[in-house]
Amino acid sequence: MKPKTYLSLALSILLCLISNAAQAITLTKDGQPAATIVIRQSALAAKAYTPDYPKNINDAAPDTKVRRAADDLQSYVEKISGAKLPIAGDNEDIQGPVILVGVSKRTDAMKLDIPHGETKERKEEGYIIVCKGDTLVLAGNEDHQYWGTYYAVAEFLYRLGMRWFMPTDFGEIIPSLKTISFDNVEFRDKPAFILRNWSAYIPYPMINAEMLWKLRNKMQIFALLPAAGDSSIRYYMPNKAMVKAHPECFPKDTDSTVDLFKIHPEYFARNADGTPDPFDPNLTNPDVPKLVAQRMKDHCKAEKEKNGFPPVAIACAPDDGMPVDYNPATVKINNNFTEIVGREGVATDVSVSEEWFAFINKVAEELAKDYPDVMIATNGYANRNLPPEGVKLHPNLMILYASIWADTLKALDNPRSWHSAIQGATLKRWCELNPRVNLYRYVYTMLGTSLAPVPTVRKMAHDYPLYKKWGVIGFIDEQKGADYMEQGITTFYLRTRLNWDADLNVKAELDDYFDKWYGKAAEPSRAFWEALEECMETTPFLGHEERILPNVYTPGLVTTLEKNVASAEKLADTDRVKTHVEIDRHILEHLKYYLAMWEAEFSANYAEAVKQCNLMATERAKLHDLCPFLNMPEMTFEDGMARYYSGTWGASLRTWKIPFYQNLADKISGKTGTLIAMGDRKVKFALDEADKGKPLRWHAPDFDRDNWLTIDTTKPFYSQVPGCYSKDGVPYRGLMWYVFDMDVPNSAKGKPVTLYTPAVVAEAWVWINGHYAGHRPWIEPNDHPAPMELDVTNLLQPGKKNVVAVRVSTGTNRSQAAEGFFGRLFLYSRMAPAQ
């Protein structure tokens, strides 16, 4: 090519670039409006959708959604630039640049392929952003429960630099742009997952703010498809009590005087003792699938008469827990697989996947005869976690997989977690069997928690591409909505972003977050959260209960976190950044008190543990004052919801931790009891894989234990005993012995003496001086505390060294990682009650 030709080509490219740049639309100029927002006339007359949970959560009509999108665009452009753009209807003659929000006459004239419509598979969601000359189009699917137009507005504002890191204006980052221009573009977007929602336990005044925040991050505020709720089968196996209690769930002509359970007990499941279960079905009675399907048909007919079309899906799942149908014919076809969370050889812990899905297949087959397009949403949960063997699932089924037993700290492909490997393989198999697998996750991250920080951004960054690859259609999660202090702002925020885009560049998104949220303090603040992420990702401990956390956090980690926060505090140069760094300071101080609480417990200084709990509460109050989404104070009412709203579940300070520690302090301080002897923290220990200890009398005082190990009773045995924990976290399963040498003073003579320990997991038997003292039955390892309390008055020898031998069983399930002793053993004398 000749030099003149090169010059000509370069000039052409330059002129093209200049021409394109000139075509960029200007929306505001020097803080003044330069464009008009245009919506269809019917939307202009509509009132903007305003969340008012639970009243009108499903009442968002297309016009109200478009009006909300236009209002928010107007509001945020004004916040960004100072210019308030006018909003007009599409019937008006508008001169100059326009922003077309939603479908209207003007978008129709442009012949744009805007996503629209709705089918039962719910794959039509999406939006477009098109900018040509002086016209910017922000529009998407508004049909039924879709919010495409609003998402288009949210994406446009995101591109201007607007961020919603947390609900309410506390979490907003608003850029400053007096002049807003936007280049020519044709952008089409749709989500990676059909279902993108979580149900959060938040008081009603706050949940409305959270719903708007979710929409602004392209989440959903309700599920596009129904979830297979526990006990939903009851509506299709009605007895008299169910019809009376829930008349809205049955056709109007349902006879509430008919008690199906009384007339046809053979239609119902049987309990282990042979008595009929009044709610769950007999899974092998040939009449029952037809009965259930007929009830579903009645429901479909009623919905069609009411709405003009039947429901897209009907939920049908058994009761919560581990329901088993013990009818002989059903038991006969059980494959005797142990459920993932079950105990081998325990009848109530078997997998019932084969019988349940064989049953639901028959129901789906019957329903399809009259309603071939109506799906049945059921669940793979509890004792139906395992995909069924030898059962081909009906094509009209939708599976809600709820594997809530799994390790919540590590990704599905993390080689350190056998839990995650099993969960990932199981999920992948479900997706091979069914094209509509969605997940019900406990995204807490700790179920029983005292709100120590457990961010899981790295886990999510690995998991979401796998979800997409395997074919998961989405998420209907359960979420504590006001515990940002535990999961971290990044965990909540990145979850919303990954729900829409599974292939998100997480590093770039984090770069953006830390820069915008922390300003000049970004580097040490990022190091603070990255240190916690590293801790969660690399710990050898598995589980979803806080009992693992005292062994996860190390003194070195706390030192690192202190250094990071102190550096950030020095660099924070604006009030806003100082507040954001202050959040991390309170989280760190809370963590210090949290670890001090555990150490006080392990040192048997229970009064000090109470003190540390109160200090934790003080830090939580400070965080709540900054933003209620960081932490909700524990409520004063006692209806069971307090733990949900506070985000603490089974580890509430007010209702559990403080009373627990105070009770222990009272037992040994003279209030309700006096301490006789405190067992050593470190004692003799031996594994007993072959169950030799009992016949060989390892509990005898004169048994030779010189070769036994010495371990700490406040740490899981598997963290101390070589070979008890594999590199991917598989713990030893079986029996073990702890032997305590305790000096019992003469002052114990004539006093009633009780042996006590706050936690021994999962089952225990005790001998005192070679004599059998009693048995503490099996307690599920995830249930804490797991105390053992035995009257040993007649077996002690005051004035001598007494040998207390405890045989402990983990149970036969490894997934819950029973830790053996998890607290101090002591002897105390109960005080006589005051007269």
Side-chain angles (χ1 to χ4, degrees):
M1 189 179 287
K2 296 180 180 179
K4 187 174 286 188
T5 306
Y6 275 119
L7 179 62
S8 177
L9 177 62
L11 287 171
S12 297
I13 293 173
L14 179 61
L15 288 172
C16 181
L17 290 173
I18 293 172
S19 175
N20 284 339
Q23 291 177 0
I25 189 171
T26 298
L27 308 177
T28 67
K29 179 76 171 176
D30 298 328
Q32 297 299 314
T36 301
I37 300 170
V38 177
I39 59 179
R40 58 181 177 268
Q41 209 68 30
S42 58
L44 184 67
K47 184 178 180 181
Y49 173 78
T50 302
D52 188 14
Y53 184 82
K55 294 179 184 177
N56 70 343
I57 191 168
N58 292 314
D59 294 343
D63 282 346
T64 66
K65 289 186 285 187
V66 169
R67 182 71 207 214
R68 179 85 218 189
D71 285 358
D72 274 18
L73 177 63
Q74 180 189 58
S75 173
Y76 281 110
V77 166
E78 185 175 14
K79 290 179 181 180
I80 292 168
S81 68
K84 186 173 184 177
L85 303 182
I87 299 176
D90 61 351
N91 286 346
E92 300 178 45
D93 182 18
I94 306 299
Q95 302 298 316
V98 292
I99 309 172
L100 308 183
V101 176
V103 177
S104 66
K105 293 178 182 177
R106 297 188 64 151
T107 61
D108 291 344
M110 296 175 71
K111 307 290 186 189
L112 298 171
D113 183 17
I114 299 173
H116 65 283
E118 179 190 57
T119 64
K120 73 173 186 177
E121 302 296 346
R122 301 293 197 258
K123 293 183 178 180
E124 306 78 26
E125 192 174 18
Y127 64 87
I128 63 169
I129 297 178
V130 175
C131 186
K132 292 182 179 180
D134 64 353
T135 300
L136 170 63
V137 179
L138 306 174
N141 196 340
E142 306 157 5
D143 294 339
H144 193 49
Q145 297 178 344
Y146 292 138
W147 283 78
T149 294
Y150 193 94
Y151 295 156
V153 168
E155 175 65 22
F156 168 72
L157 292 170
Y158 180 90
R159 293 183 179 206
L160 295 184
M162 189 68 217
R163 296 293 183 271
W164 298 276
F165 290 136
M166 290 180 67
T168 74
D169 57 2
F170 181 84
E172 292 182 350
I173 299 295
I174 303 172
S176 178
L177 300 168
K178 291 296 183 182
T179 297
I180 299 176
S181 296
F182 201 71
D183 289 339
N184 287 352
V185 68
E186 290 191 20
F187 177 72
R188 181 173 298 273
D189 201 12
K190 64 185 299 184
F193 302 102
I194 296 168
L195 304 174
R196 305 179 311 283
N197 193 28
W198 64 62
S199 57
Y201 292 101
I202 309 175
Y204 292 148
M206 291 172 59
I207 203 167
N208 298 335
E210 196 217 34
M211 286 196 290
L212 284 176
W213 173 78
K214 286 161 71 174
L215 286 175
R216 288 162 182 163
N217 286 294
K218 293 186 279 193
M219 289 281 285
Q220 295 160 348
I221 57 175
F222 38 74
L224 294 180
L225 292 168
D230 294 327
S231 303
S232 48
I233 184 65
R234 294 186 177 193
Y235 301 129
Y236 307 105
M237 292 291 296
N239 59 38
K240 183 165 57 177
M242 280 297 294
V243 177
K244 285 186 174 181
H246 300 282
E248 73 281 3
C249 298
F250 301 100
K252 292 181 180 179
D253 59 351
T254 300
D255 188 350
S256 63
T257 65
V258 175
D259 193 337
L260 184 67
F261 177 64
K262 185 175 181 179
I263 298 172
H264 289 289
E266 73 276 11
Y267 288 172
F268 292 82
R270 289 195 174 270
N271 299 311
D273 62 2
T275 59
D277 173 349
F279 300 114
D280 287 319
N282 181 334
L283 297 178
T284 48
N285 184 303
D287 294 334
V288 177
K290 297 177 183 179
L291 169 72
V292 171
Q294 185 57 53
R295 296 286 187 182
M296 291 181 174
K297 291 176 185 180
D298 293 343
H299 175 65
C300 290
K301 180 181 178 181
E303 286 291 300
K304 188 173 181 179
E305 290 175 352
K306 177 182 177 182
N307 302 315
F309 48 84
V312 66
I314 293 177
C316 186
D319 286 355
D320 198 0
M322 305 272 275
V324 177
D325 173 20
Y326 288 97
N327 276 291
T330 306
V331 172
K332 187 176 180 179
I333 65 171
N334 183 272
N335 286 330
N336 203 32
F337 292 124
T338 302
E339 183 49 56
I340 295 172
V341 292
R343 293 163 292 164
E344 188 177 332
V346 178
T348 56
D349 291 0
V350 298
S351 170
V352 298
S353 292
E354 286 74 28
E355 48 265 50
W356 172 257
F357 287 101
F359 166 79
I360 210 69
N361 270 350
K362 294 174 183 175
V363 175
E365 184 179 353
E366 289 292 328
L367 179 62
K369 291 177 181 178
D370 293 332
Y371 294 93
D373 293 328
V374 176
M375 297 181 290
I376 295 180
T378 190
N379 60 25
Y381 165 61
N383 55 1
R384 301 165 310 283
N385 260 183
L386 295 176
E389 298 291 344
V391 179
K392 184 179 180 181
L393 299 181
H394 193 280
N396 281 7
L397 294 187
M398 179 169 58
I399 307 299
L400 181 65
Y401 178 49
S403 184
I404 57 178
W405 55 272
D407 177 16
T408 58
L409 297 182
K410 301 181 192 65
L412 297 174
D413 59 353
N414 190 319
R416 294 182 179 88
S417 177
W418 72 285
H419 268 198
S420 293
I422 291 175
Q423 186 188 31
T426 306
L427 174 59
K428 183 179 178 183
R429 179 57 181 158
W430 273 115
C431 292
E432 292 168 352
L433 294 175
N434 184 269
R436 304 183 195 90
V437 174
N438 52 104
L439 299 185
Y440 188 98
R441 301 173 298 178
Y442 281 174
V443 283
Y444 294 141
T445 301
M446 294 284 115
L447 179 56
T449 176
S450 291
L451 300 180
V454 283
T456 53
V457 170
R458 293 188 187 181
K459 170 180 167 57
M460 293 190 301
H462 279 262
D463 285 353
Y464 274 85
L466 293 175
Y467 293 146
K468 180 182 176 183
K469 177 182 177 182
W470 293 336
V472 172
I473 68 168
F475 316 95
I476 304 175
D477 295 329
E478 187 173 314
Q479 171 72 61
K480 293 178 297 184
D483 65 342
Y484 281 64
M485 68 172 290
E486 179 189 32
Q487 297 187 53
I489 298 168
T490 49
T491 298
F492 276 86
Y493 177 65
L494 264 295
R495 186 180 291 126
T496 68
R497 304 292 295 168
L498 285 162
N499 264 267
W500 183 271
D501 180 5
D503 301 314
L504 182 75
N505 184 332
V506 173
K507 181 183 181 302
E509 201 72 33
L510 289 173
D511 289 344
D512 177 77
Y513 165 78
F514 283 105
D515 175 64
K516 287 180 167 60
W517 190 250
Y518 290 103
K520 292 181 180 179
E523 185 176 345
S525 297
R526 184 169 191 162
F528 174 90
W529 287 101
E530 288 291 349
L532 286 165
E533 287 278 354
E534 181 72 14
C535 179
M536 299 302 127
E537 188 177 45
T538 60
T539 178
F541 299 104
L542 309 179
H544 59 76
E545 305 294 330
E546 73 159 2
R547 61 196 173 94
I548 69 170
L549 293 181
N551 302 289
V552 170
Y553 303 114
T554 65
L557 172 68
V558 176
T559 299
T560 297
L561 297 177
E562 175 60 46
K563 178 181 176 181
N564 296 148
V565 172
S567 297
E569 288 169 334
K570 291 178 181 178
L571 292 171
D573 61 341
T574 68
D575 289 342
R576 189 177 183 92
V577 170
K578 288 176 182 178
T579 297
H580 297 166
V581 172
E582 184 185 353
I583 292 171
D584 294 350
R585 166 57 71 186
H586 291 310
I587 289 172
L588 175 56
E589 295 305 310
H590 183 274
L591 175 60
K592 291 177 183 177
Y593 297 140
Y594 174 79
L595 293 175
M597 173 196 75
W598 282 107
E599 183 51 40
E601 177 185 340
F602 295 154
S603 299
N605 189 347
Y606 304 120
E608 179 63 22
V610 171
K611 176 182 175 182
Q612 297 302 323
C613 286
N614 285 319
L615 290 170
M616 289 165 62
T618 299
E619 293 301 321
R620 294 183 189 184
K622 293 175 181 177
L623 285 163
H624 176 76
D625 288 343
L626 292 174
C627 177
F629 281 91
L630 291 166
N631 168 252
M632 283 296 293
E634 295 181 23
M635 306 298 178
T636 57
F637 50 87
E638 301 291 346
D639 64 357
M641 290 301 292
R643 63 193 179 104
Y644 289 85
Y645 287 148
S646 65
T648 55
W649 293 88
S652 161
L653 293 180
R654 181 179 60 83
T655 63
W656 187 68
K657 287 286 189 182
I658 291 175
F660 171 68
Y661 288 131
Q662 190 60 58
N663 178 52
L664 293 178
D666 293 346
K667 287 182 188 299
I668 63 175
S669 66
K671 186 172 183 179
T672 61
T674 56
L675 181 66
I676 299 297
M678 179 64 65
D680 290 337
R681 186 165 175 166
K682 294 185 176 182
V683 301
K684 289 293 186 179
F685 175 89
L687 296 177
D688 189 11
E689 189 170 9
D691 195 10
K692 299 183 295 184
K694 183 174 177 293
L696 295 180
R697 295 185 60 77
W698 287 7
H699 49 74
D702 58 353
F703 187 84
D704 183 4
R705 302 183 187 87
D706 287 346
N707 293 326
W708 283 27
L709 297 172
T710 298
I711 70 170
D712 190 330
T713 58
T714 67
K715 298 180 183 299
F717 74 92
Y718 50 71
S719 70
Q720 307 174 72
V721 179
C724 270
Y725 211 60
S726 70
K727 64 180 181 180
D728 59 347
V730 180
Y732 168 84
R733 182 184 76 175
L735 295 162
M736 66 200 77
W737 291 77
Y738 294 79
V739 177
F740 301 75
D741 290 329
M742 302 183 71
D743 290 319
V744 178
N746 276 317
S747 60
K749 287 182 179 180
K751 294 180 179 178
V753 180
T754 298
L755 177 147
Y756 186 91
T757 186
V760 58
V761 188
E763 188 171 6
W765 300 259
V766 179
W767 285 260
I768 305 290
N769 299 320
H771 299 286
Y772 183 63
H775 169 227
R776 205 296 309 282
W778 182 84
I779 294 177
E780 184 175 343
N782 286 333
D783 289 346
H784 268 236
M788 178 170 65
E789 191 163 14
L790 297 172
D791 188 328
V792 295
T793 305
N794 297 328
L795 298 177
L796 291 177
Q797 298 176 7
K800 296 181 179 180
K801 186 179 292 294
N802 286 245
V803 177
V804 178
V806 185
R807 177 180 182 257
V808 176
S809 172
T810 65
T812 57
N813 180 273
R814 282 191 172 95
S815 70
Q816 294 180 334
E819 59 263 83
F821 265 83
F822 196 61
R824 301 292 289 276
L825 180 144
F826 59 86
L827 303 173
Y828 78 99
S829 178
R830 298 179 300 279
M831 303 289 288
Q835 298 298 318

